[in-house]
PDB file of all heavy atoms in Angstrom:
ATOM      1  N   CYS A 158       2.568  -8.735 -10.753  1.00  0.00           N
ATOM      2  CA  CYS A 158       2.831  -9.824  -9.908  1.00  0.00           C
ATOM      3  C   CYS A 158       2.599 -11.169 -10.674  1.00  0.00           C
ATOM      4  O   CYS A 158       1.706 -11.237 -11.530  1.00  0.00           O
ATOM      5  CB  CYS A 158       1.684  -9.851  -8.739  1.00  0.00           C
ATOM      6  SG  CYS A 158       2.004 -11.191  -7.567  1.00  0.00           S
ATOM      7  N   ASN A 160       2.380 -14.191  -8.940  1.00  0.00           N
ATOM      8  CA  ASN A 160       2.150 -15.223  -7.996  1.00  0.00           C
ATOM      9  C   ASN A 160       0.820 -15.845  -8.087  1.00  0.00           C
ATOM     10  O   ASN A 160       0.654 -17.069  -7.732  1.00  0.00           O
ATOM     11  CB  ASN A 160       2.352 -14.742  -6.515  1.00  0.00           C
ATOM     12  CG  ASN A 160       3.860 -14.625  -6.283  1.00  0.00           C
ATOM     13  OD1 ASN A 160       4.648 -15.433  -6.593  1.00  0.00           O
ATOM     14  ND2 ASN A 160       4.262 -13.354  -5.799  1.00  0.00           N
ATOM     15  N   CYS A 162      -1.995 -15.851  -6.388  1.00  0.00           N
ATOM     16  CA  CYS A 162      -2.683 -16.377  -5.178  1.00  0.00           C
ATOM     17  C   CYS A 162      -4.124 -16.518  -5.602  1.00  0.00           C
ATOM     18  O   CYS A 162      -4.612 -15.570  -6.301  1.00  0.00           O
ATOM     19  CB  CYS A 162      -2.494 -15.380  -3.974  1.00  0.00           C
ATOM     20  SG  CYS A 162      -0.762 -15.199  -3.612  1.00  0.00           S
ATOM     21  N   TYR A 164      -7.049 -16.120  -4.494  1.00  0.00           N
ATOM     22  CA  TYR A 164      -8.064 -15.132  -4.293  1.00  0.00           C
ATOM     23  C   TYR A 164      -7.851 -13.803  -4.839  1.00  0.00           C
ATOM     24  O   TYR A 164      -8.743 -12.940  -4.771  1.00  0.00           O
ATOM     25  CB  TYR A 164      -8.153 -14.949  -2.697  1.00  0.00           C
ATOM     26  CG  TYR A 164      -6.783 -14.653  -2.094  1.00  0.00           C
ATOM     27  CD1 TYR A 164      -6.291 -13.350  -2.168  1.00  0.00           C
ATOM     28  CD2 TYR A 164      -5.924 -15.653  -1.615  1.00  0.00           C
ATOM     29  CE1 TYR A 164      -4.991 -13.141  -1.643  1.00  0.00           C
ATOM     30  CE2 TYR A 164      -4.685 -15.394  -1.084  1.00  0.00           C
ATOM     31  CZ  TYR A 164      -4.193 -14.145  -1.115  1.00  0.00           C
ATOM     32  OH  TYR A 164      -2.947 -13.836  -0.714  1.00  0.00           O
ATOM     33  N   CYS A 165      -6.719 -13.539  -5.437  1.00  0.00           N
ATOM     34  CA  CYS A 165      -6.236 -12.149  -5.668  1.00  0.00           C
ATOM     35  C   CYS A 165      -6.341 -11.736  -7.222  1.00  0.00           C
ATOM     36  O   CYS A 165      -5.929 -12.418  -8.053  1.00  0.00           O
ATOM     37  CB  CYS A 165      -4.783 -12.049  -5.300  1.00  0.00           C
ATOM     38  SG  CYS A 165      -4.188 -10.379  -5.389  1.00  0.00           S
ATOM     39  N   VAL A 167      -4.905  -8.974  -8.313  1.00  0.00           N
ATOM     40  CA  VAL A 167      -3.850  -8.131  -8.708  1.00  0.00           C
ATOM     41  C   VAL A 167      -3.055  -8.560  -9.954  1.00  0.00           C
ATOM     42  O   VAL A 167      -2.889  -7.755 -10.918  1.00  0.00           O
ATOM     43  CB  VAL A 167      -2.805  -7.929  -7.551  1.00  0.00           C
ATOM     44  CG1 VAL A 167      -1.573  -7.329  -7.987  1.00  0.00           C
ATOM     45  CG2 VAL A 167      -3.419  -7.030  -6.496  1.00  0.00           C
ATOM     46  N   PRO A 168      -2.700  -9.845 -10.139  1.00  0.00           N
ATOM     47  CA  PRO A 168      -2.012 -10.238 -11.354  1.00  0.00           C
ATOM     48  C   PRO A 168      -2.851  -9.984 -12.616  1.00  0.00           C
ATOM     49  O   PRO A 168      -2.310  -9.784 -13.650  1.00  0.00           O
ATOM     50  CB  PRO A 168      -1.838 -11.729 -11.169  1.00  0.00           C
ATOM     51  CG  PRO A 168      -1.876 -11.980  -9.726  1.00  0.00           C
ATOM     52  CD  PRO A 168      -2.909 -10.999  -9.195  1.00  0.00           C
ATOM     53  N   GLN A 202       4.745  -5.510  -5.410  1.00  0.00           N
ATOM     54  CA  GLN A 202       3.855  -6.550  -4.880  1.00  0.00           C
ATOM     55  C   GLN A 202       4.603  -7.677  -4.157  1.00  0.00           C
ATOM     56  O   GLN A 202       4.114  -8.280  -3.273  1.00  0.00           O
ATOM     57  CB  GLN A 202       3.031  -7.281  -6.016  1.00  0.00           C
ATOM     58  CG  GLN A 202       2.260  -6.275  -6.925  1.00  0.00           C
ATOM     59  CD  GLN A 202       1.253  -5.428  -6.230  1.00  0.00           C
ATOM     60  OE1 GLN A 202       0.786  -5.755  -5.072  1.00  0.00           O
ATOM     61  NE2 GLN A 202       0.807  -4.343  -6.815  1.00  0.00           N
TER      62      GLN A 202
HETATM   63 FE1  LIG B 502      -1.972 -10.825  -4.865  1.00  0.00          FE
HETATM   64 FE2  LIG B 502      -0.512 -12.876  -4.061  1.00  0.00          FE
HETATM   65 FE3  LIG B 502       0.480 -11.111  -5.881  1.00  0.00          FE
HETATM   66 FE4  LIG B 502       0.150 -10.404  -3.309  1.00  0.00          FE
HETATM   67  S1  LIG B 502       1.532 -12.072  -3.994  1.00  0.00           S
HETATM   68  S2  LIG B 502      -0.412  -9.248  -5.189  1.00  0.00           S
HETATM   69  S3  LIG B 502      -1.657 -11.490  -2.721  1.00  0.00           S
HETATM   70  S4  LIG B 502      -1.281 -12.467  -6.191  1.00  0.00           S
END
Side-chain angles (χ1 to χ4, degrees):
C158 183
N160 286 314
C162 301
Y164 51 82
C165 186
V167 168
Q202 309 294 346

